[in-house]
Amino acid sequence: MKKLFLSLAMLLMAVPAWSVIKGDINGSGIVDVDDMNAAINIILGIKTAVDYPGNADLDSSGIVDVDDVNHIINIILGTEIEKEPITVGDVTFNMVKVTGGTFMMGGTEEQGDDVMDYEKPVHEVTLSDYYIAETEVTQALWQAVMGSNPSYHKGDVNYPVEYVSWQDCQVFVNTLNHMTGYRFRLLTEAEWEYAARGGKRSRGYKYAGSDDLNAVAWYKDNSGSATHTVATKEPNELGIYDMSGNVWEWCQDYLAEYTSEPQTNPTGPAEGEYLVHRGGGRNDNPKYCRVSVRSSFRAKSYKMWNLGLRLAMTDCTKGEPSTGSAISVSDITLISAAVNCSFAGLDDAVDECGVIAKGDNKTLTFQANKVNGEQVVTLTGLRPWTTYQCYAYVKAGKYTYQQEEPITFSTPDLAGTWSCTEIYEKKDPELSTIVLTADGKATFTHVSGYMFMAHTTNSGSWRIKEDGSISISFSDSSGSSWPMYYSKGFSGTFDNLVNPTCITGNFTHIWGSTENHYSYGTFTMTRQP
């Protein structure tokens, strides 16, 4: 074995090093024959792994062996497939780096007579680097992330998950990101096809990894009408499994007709009616398992027993995992009588979002409306002198998430003196002063105008109604310049929930010994300093 390694080392001495960190066992900054010899020294017991600054266990197997030497050889030769292992609970999966490049997308020559109209025209696409999952998302991974297994076909936890909608996939991806700190997503349609073709290592196969579909795919002729454990057929040129057959895979894109213009990192239209899925499934003919074939469904909620997903990410940058809900509410700010909610990660998947406000021994739910691209929630029916806890919530498909840590705020104190101007039809304005107290009482003092000079009543009351408006009422005859029945009611709304300085609305005024005189009009109350 020693002679074999030394001969191989001599063979590779003239090969330029591929400058990556992985495989740089001796810490020289490049991967070369010296790193291979370092691994051999560890295997032969001449040195130990701690004698070198770099990691010699390249495949994370727990030991340094011949496989690690082969990894170094592949790195030197430029044939190493770079993988990022990721663990969620007790499930580990690999993300494979796809080196960007330019390719011809669509029904190219090797696809033969099977090409359909929606695969045309063939056009040039350029992509940047990205990562793709080595396998389809398994039932084990979905269970580890979501706590359930929606699949129609069960039996092996390493079967691909299926019977999941595009919307379900968005929730899954967001939850996975929340748990791991990575930024997973679905593949774009262009990324999917480039990887299925083998990227820069493509050999121009009709299917993903071979012209022999049976070698690389579970499909109609060999599946027995069942899904199969992932990675049990041969991989394609990038070491990726099952991109032809087993289950179809959702992409991020809305469907659009191809054009002949070259494109760079295309993402599909911003809106659309149909959502793309790729790859063919266990019950499909060979024609539908080709690398260029396209399919789509109209609804985000559509599910099928042979439709799953494969993960992608732009890079391997990892943030801090989060605790609690998978919904990231980046901002809740009280603005006038509204709460502005910004939800991260689930824009496309959201069926409904809003705010739950708890206070005054009541729970109020307010659904958001989209205004200028932002979800805006209007709060009504809130009580003064009350502390509210606001929780953002999101509903997407069958999943509902609620923010765990609330935003807390208090409604304002309305007690104080207010100047009131009443407008009666075509008469001059009536001016009065209204005093509101914390215990719900109100005092009305007429200041000037057509009616009831110097009239004062202390028998008023006020309250906030269910719709969030204020109601003030008076009924008294004491203090009037002559004996009479007197009743006045105000109903108005605040200009600002946070710090109201003005209340506007309508009033009704009843007076006279026979209670048969009525006046109607509008009023404006402004808070006095």
Side-chain angles (χ1 to χ4, degrees):
M1 180 180 290
K2 183 174 181 180
K3 289 182 178 179
L4 173 63
F5 286 145
L6 292 175
S7 298
L8 193 53
M10 294 297 294
L11 175 65
L12 296 174
M13 285 182 68
V15 179
W18 184 29
S19 185
V20 294
I21 299 301
K22 182 180 179 181
D24 183 19
I25 300 174
N26 64 6
S28 66
I30 60 172
V31 181
D32 55 17
V33 174
D34 291 338
D35 296 296
M36 187 175 68
N37 288 332
I40 294 170
N41 287 337
I42 295 171
I43 294 170
L44 297 178
I46 298 172
K47 290 197 174 186
T48 66
V50 296
D51 293 325
Y52 297 98
N55 177 27
D57 183 15
L58 273 69
D59 58 6
S60 302
S61 65
I63 60 172
V64 179
D65 55 17
V66 174
D67 290 337
D68 298 299
V69 176
N70 288 332
H71 278 296
I72 295 173
I73 294 171
N74 286 329
I75 291 172
I76 294 172
L77 293 177
T79 56
E80 174 75 352
I81 296 174
E82 186 176 339
K83 299 180 182 180
E84 178 78 9
I86 296 172
T87 299
V88 179
D90 59 356
V91 180
T92 298
F93 61 98
N94 290 319
M95 297 298 293
V96 177
K97 183 175 182 179
V98 180
T99 302
T102 299
F103 76 109
M104 301 308 294
M105 185 173 179
T108 45
E109 184 177 355
E110 80 284 343
Q111 301 301 306
D113 294 336
D114 289 335
V115 173
M116 291 173 272
D117 288 343
Y118 53 77
E119 299 172 48
K120 303 174 184 177
V122 175
H123 55 288
E124 182 180 281
V125 172
T126 301
L127 296 175
S128 303
D129 294 354
Y130 61 98
Y131 285 79
I132 183 174
E134 187 177 40
T135 69
E136 294 156 332
V137 170
T138 63
Q139 296 178 23
L141 179 57
W142 189 283
Q143 178 79 41
V145 174
M146 304 302 294
S148 62
N149 181 4
S151 302
Y152 183 80
H153 294 278
K154 299 184 176 76
D156 182 345
V157 294
N158 288 316
Y159 286 170
V161 71
E162 25 81 7
Y163 205 68
V164 290
S165 68
W166 183 91
Q167 196 171 57
D168 292 337
C169 294
Q170 301 297 324
V171 177
F172 168 81
V173 166
N174 187 268
T175 306
L176 179 62
N177 292 344
H178 187 79
M179 294 173 67
T180 63
Y182 290 101
R183 298 304 300 170
F184 292 101
R185 55 179 173 81
L186 296 182
L187 291 153
T188 66
E189 188 179 15
E191 288 173 339
W192 191 97
E193 184 168 322
Y194 181 62
R197 288 177 175 274
K200 280 194 168 182
R201 304 182 185 197
S202 177
R203 296 172 185 170
Y205 293 132
K206 186 173 186 176
Y207 310 107
S210 179
D211 287 329
D212 176 11
L213 184 58
N214 185 65
V216 294
W218 295 108
Y219 69 110
K220 183 178 180 180
D221 293 349
N222 66 5
S223 69
S225 296
T227 52
H228 288 259
T229 302
V230 299
T232 50
K233 289 290 186 177
E234 294 177 13
N236 75 350
E237 300 93 318
L238 291 173
I240 303 168
Y241 295 89
D242 300 308
M243 293 201 78
S244 288
N246 218 359
V247 295
W248 291 86
E249 301 171 11
W250 282 113
C251 292
Q252 185 65 31
D253 306 39
Y254 286 103
L255 182 68
E257 292 184 0
Y258 286 161
T259 63
S260 58
E261 290 79 15
Q263 294 181 305
T264 299
N265 294 322
T267 58
E271 296 181 349
E273 194 172 359
Y274 293 86
L275 291 152
V276 174
H277 53 274
R278 288 293 210 113
R282 59 180 178 77
N283 270 2
D284 286 299
N285 292 316
K287 179 178 182 177
Y288 297 100
C289 296
R290 296 176 296 109
V291 294
S292 62
V293 77
R294 311 173 76 198
S295 187
S296 62
F297 287 122
R298 174 174 291 176
K300 293 180 180 179
S301 59
Y302 187 90
K303 301 179 184 183
M304 194 168 65
W305 36 255
N306 65 344
L307 177 55
L309 73 153
R310 186 183 299 266
L311 292 169
M313 56 186 181
T314 303
D315 56 50
C316 285
T317 303
K318 182 180 180 182
E320 289 297 322
S322 304
T323 58
S325 168
I327 301 305
S328 172
V329 182
S330 60
D331 186 50
I332 295 183
T333 307
L334 211 59
I335 302 176
S336 297
V339 170
N340 291 341
C341 300
S342 176
F343 297 94
L346 279 181
D347 291 346
D348 290 329
V350 167
D351 287 325
E352 177 187 325
C353 62
V355 169
I356 298 170
K358 297 181 178 181
D360 194 32
N361 296 318
K362 292 184 178 181
T363 299
L364 305 173
T365 301
F366 306 96
Q367 185 173 340
N369 294 308
K370 206 162 190 177
V371 179
N372 296 326
E374 187 174 43
Q375 298 290 355
V376 176
V377 183
T378 301
L379 302 183
T380 60
L382 301 183
R383 307 286 179 174
W385 301 292
T386 303
T387 297
Y388 283 92
Q389 293 182 320
C390 285
Y391 301 82
Y393 74 87
V394 167
K395 293 182 180 179
K398 63 182 179 181
Y399 303 102
T400 299
Y401 293 94
Q402 180 175 311
Q403 183 185 16
E404 290 199 349
E405 293 298 324
I407 303 297
T408 301
F409 72 94
S410 296
T411 50
D413 183 346
L414 298 176
T417 302
W418 298 75
S419 297
C420 182
T421 301
E422 304 164 41
I423 305 296
Y424 290 85
E425 299 177 349
K426 298 181 180 180
K427 302 185 185 314
D428 292 335
E430 296 286 324
L431 304 179
S432 58
T433 299
I434 296 176
V435 178
L436 305 180
T437 61
D439 58 0
K441 294 181 180 179
T443 299
F444 175 88
T445 302
H446 186 268
V447 175
S448 65
Y450 178 75
M451 300 292 293
F452 313 120
M453 292 298 294
H455 174 76
T456 299
T457 178
N458 297 314
S459 62
S461 63
W462 68 275
R463 65 185 180 92
I464 302 295
K465 298 190 292 185
E466 288 299 324
D467 63 0
S469 64
I470 187 172
S471 174
I472 311 171
S473 60
F474 303 94
S475 180
D476 192 13
S477 61
S478 63
S480 176
S481 56
W482 62 85
M484 59 167 289
Y485 177 85
Y486 177 89
S487 174
K488 181 171 285 189
F490 297 86
S491 180
T493 56
F494 305 104
D495 67 327
N496 187 303
L497 182 65
V498 178
N499 183 27
T501 59
C502 182
I503 303 171
T504 57
N506 300 307
F507 70 86
T508 302
H509 187 181
I510 306 172
W511 78 96
S513 57
T514 59
E515 305 179 21
N516 59 356
H517 298 283
Y518 295 84
S519 294
Y520 305 93
T522 60
F523 76 91
T524 301
M525 291 173 56
T526 46
R527 189 194 289 268
Q528 294 185 2

